[in-house]
Amino acid sequence: LVEPQSSGLGGGAFLTYYDAKTRKVTAYNGRETAPAAATDALFLDETGKPLPFGAALLSGRSSGVPGAVAMLSLAQSQHGKLPWNTLFADAEKLGDQGFTVSPRLAGMIVGRFPQASAPDVVAYFTNPDGTRMKAGDTLKNPAYAATVRKIAAEGPKAILEGPVAEAIVTRLQQGDRPGAMTLADLKSYKPKVTDATCRPFRVYVVCTPPAPSGGPAVLEGLAILEHTDIAAHPNDAQGWYLFSQASRLMYADRDRYMGDPDFVDVPTAGLLDPAYAATRAAMIAPDTAGPAPGPGTPRGAGVRAPDATVEPGGTSHLVIVDAAGNAVSMTTTVESIFGNGRMVNGFFLNNQLTDFSFAPKDKNGVPAANAVAGGKRPRSSMAPAVVLDKDRRFVAAVGSPGGSAILAYNLKALVAFLDWKLPIDQAIALPNLIARGDTYAAEPAKFPAGVVEALAAKGVTLKPGGGEDSGLHAIVMTPTGLMGAADPRREGVAKAP
């Protein structure tokens, strides 16, 4: 409701849950699914070429079946203490009575991206006098309040069946390139629950959701760095050099091999094999960055076409630890800013299917791991993490929004906290560096004196990054109890009960 540029009832989510009593970590997958009728030509034009991203984004084809509410319902049914129908009063009140437009939301309302001029977005954020809403204005959304009242009473079927579902299908079928989503697609949606994917890092165990989340990629980044001496270089040029080169290797493998494991063989075990991580780490030149690395050949990899996925930002993250020590790390999104710009019943619809590869196969017909298919979940960068000690006691919960940069944001926070031993607020506030291929997007002004120049001498030339800032949130266990921190780049806060 209050961050509709990033997340909402029409989106999806991944949630990592730590049970303090059993010390078990569970992953919940509420990623959207493609309609059953979707084919790998979903984002190809009449000549077989990929559509311009903006055209695909604003079309009805871009929406997947929303999964966030169904996923939350599943997690709450297994771990919740309070009745489901009591959990929506705050959202209902804010929808009916209004909330204050924040500076970040106000900036998005007049942003330079296609959805900002979409009819539903313009209508929602225009005052009665015809002016666009600005920071400090009060925004009311009684339609949203009515929808959450319905969800409180009926559960996820409130939006996956009946009038709201009909409104979703109708809205997606309007305009050029209508979507293929049906009422049957919505009704048949099922969230997933699995064991989290957990791997050791130093003296810790780091747990994330499995593919198609970005969790395994972050775990591979940590596995590569475990074969370096990055711990001896806190926030210096060599430390950031090692971080950047491990990031490039992580992204190269993720981009080639990650997809929905229900549809493609994802070589997670091979990618996270310590021997494979050692071979990837050995590719890091001691002093000077080389050309962009290609993907490796982990055990079980198979042959995959190069990926052509465009992944802009538009995401929210939160962490919670309760009085019993149970922890949640959850990342949720409508994909791009205001999703695909279409609104029904007070909430925006997602454009999650544009997270599939726009080029479904190469010239030889070899499919990309992240090619579109009916019922398939698109690859995601969302990677909500929980960190444990060797006895599986809680150490930290961390995660971030930020599109494809989520992998780098989460990896930075984990390295800074676990290896560089920084307090969590300082770890989060460190400069960001997103190294992918031959591009080093960063916040050059935030690095310590001399680091940018020293990195340039190593072949790592930092350039200001575009797109979405990080929004890291974390809660960690300290000798004196829990400490929370939120990224100063956004509007999040850390709050004790």
Side-chain angles (χ1 to χ4, degrees), residues 59-213:
S59 76
R61 296 183 188 181
S62 66
S63 273
V65 178
V69 174
M71 184 209 74
L72 287 168
S73 176
L74 175 61
Q76 197 271 344
S77 71
Q78 296 181 350
H79 302 289
K81 299 290 195 298
L82 301 175
W84 171 265
N85 63 6
T86 67
L87 304 178
F88 297 87
D90 289 339
E92 182 183 338
K93 179 180 178 181
L94 288 173
D96 276 332
Q97 299 182 13
F99 63 93
T100 301
V101 173
S102 73
R104 183 174 177 81
L105 173 55
M108 298 296 179
I109 290 171
V110 294
R112 295 182 179 180
F113 42 84
Q115 303 94 312
S117 56
D120 293 357
V121 175
V122 172
Y124 183 42
F125 296 117
T126 298
N127 289 308
D129 64 2
T131 61
R132 298 298 287 274
M133 289 198 162
K134 60 185 185 300
D137 286 351
T138 297
L139 176 56
K140 295 182 179 181
N141 190 338
Y144 186 97
T147 299
V148 295
R149 276 195 294 272
K150 190 173 176 65
I151 294 171
E154 302 175 16
K157 73 176 184 179
I159 62 172
L160 296 176
E161 301 179 39
V164 178
E166 293 169 2
I168 292 172
V169 170
T170 297
R171 189 69 187 91
L172 293 177
Q173 290 176 347
Q174 295 169 345
D176 294 337
R177 299 187 178 90
M181 190 183 300
T182 66
L183 293 175
D185 291 321
L186 287 155
K187 185 175 181 179
S188 63
Y189 181 86
K190 294 290 186 294
K192 299 182 67 175
V193 56
T194 62
D195 290 339
T197 297
C198 300
R199 290 296 188 276
F201 175 69
R202 312 295 190 197
V203 297
Y204 307 99
V205 176
V206 183
C207 298
T208 70
S213 91

Side-chain angles (χ1 to χ4, degrees), residues 391-426:
D391 296 317
R392 298 187 68 85
R393 292 174 299 201
F394 177 81
V395 172
V398 64
S400 181
S404 62
I406 288 172
L407 307 180
Y409 297 154
N410 287 2
L411 187 63
K412 176 204 77 172
L414 290 166
V415 167
F417 177 65
L418 301 177
D419 257 357
W420 294 349
K421 307 301 181 185
L422 292 177
I424 192 59
D425 55 340
Q426 295 180 32

